[in-house]
Amino acid sequence: AAGQEDTAVLDLTEYSEEVTDVELPVAALEAVAEAEKDLQIATKDATVTFDAKALEAIAEAAGNENEVSIVLEKIDAKELNDKQQKALKDKKVAGVISASIMCGDEYIADFNGGSVTVEIPFTPEEGYKGNDYKIYYVADDGTIESVPTKYADGKLIVTLSHFSEYVIVNEAASNTEATKPDETTKPDETTKPDETTKPDETTKPDE
């Protein structure tokens, strides 16, 4: 990871309004990438750090456009499509993050081997620890894939190779629910030894 001196920082945490959409000049991305620096954008909801290779890929994909729009927002799980929701039905979802980069009407999803580190402030539910949570990528076709996740300083931290929808899952709760004994699998009470199989008292030795 680059040190702070190798990182250009855009700090938007002091804005009173919630910031979910950041527009940046393509020329600025190119300048940071050419200086082989990272670009960090900090909002109240997340801190996103693009490495130089990712910035270069975004600037290249932008072509002749002058600006790109970086969108990172929390959305309701109900906004996911039916296939995505079905894929997550056995997961205890604690939040959904939608991340995208727009250039004109086009999405830029691939960082061409570059990476983006996302840090999300997160408070675990009562009774759980930060390490009980994991982030999953969920594709439009319902494919889900776990992303290596760590929890430090009150934040969930992941490094991504592309933007999409990502869900925060309480793994501990999901696993607990999945392993609960099914009430219907209780031993059938009819399997108790039949009381009629007791030794017949009539077989006692004749007194």
Side-chain angles (χ1 to χ4, degrees), residues 125-136:
E125 297 157 284
E126 188 174 346
Y128 294 96
K129 305 184 296 293
N131 290 332
D132 290 329
Y133 295 81
K134 182 175 279 189
I135 290 179
Y136 282 78

Side-chain angles (χ1 to χ4, degrees), residues 29-199:
L29 302 184
E30 290 173 332
V32 176
E34 285 172 11
E36 297 186 349
K37 291 188 174 186
D38 294 352
L39 173 64
Q40 184 178 91
I41 302 170
T43 71
K44 288 179 179 177
D45 282 338
T47 298
V48 186
T49 306
F50 297 85
D51 70 9
K53 194 165 186 178
L55 293 174
E56 188 180 335
I58 295 165
E60 189 175 321
N64 295 323
E65 295 287 340
N66 293 322
E67 287 187 334
V68 294
S69 179
I70 299 168
V71 181
L72 192 77
E73 59 184 338
K74 294 175 181 175
I75 64 172
D76 194 293
K78 292 176 183 175
E79 293 183 52
L80 297 172
N81 69 36
D82 290 343
K83 289 181 179 178
Q84 290 172 317
Q85 291 187 45
K86 186 175 180 181
L88 295 166
K89 64 182 175 62
D90 294 328
K91 302 286 186 189
K92 174 79 171 173
V93 176
V96 184
I97 302 292
S98 177
S100 62
I101 299 175
M102 293 291 296
C103 184
D105 296 327
E106 299 292 323
Y107 283 100
I108 300 174
D110 187 9
F111 302 141
N112 198 24
S115 63
V116 180
T117 300
V118 180
E119 302 172 51
I120 305 163
F122 185 78
T123 302
E125 297 157 284
E126 188 174 346
Y128 294 96
K129 305 184 296 293
N131 290 332
D132 290 329
Y133 295 81
K134 182 175 279 189
I135 290 179
Y136 282 78
Y137 158 62
V138 53
D140 287 343
D141 64 2
T143 303
I144 60 173
E145 182 183 321
S146 66
V147 180
T149 309
K150 69 177 181 177
Y151 186 79
D153 302 322
K155 297 175 183 177
L156 290 168
I157 304 169
V158 289
T159 298
L160 309 176
S161 58
H162 63 281
F163 272 179
S164 185
E165 275 91 29
Y166 291 87
V167 294
I168 301 169
V169 170
N170 184 331
E171 286 281 270
S174 299
N175 293 338
T176 299
E177 298 204 357
T179 55
K180 274 185 185 171
D182 186 341
E183 297 279 321
T184 61
T185 61
K186 283 184 181 174
D188 189 341
E189 298 206 348
T190 61
T191 60
K192 285 187 191 170
D194 189 342
E195 301 211 349
T196 60
T197 60
K198 285 184 186 174

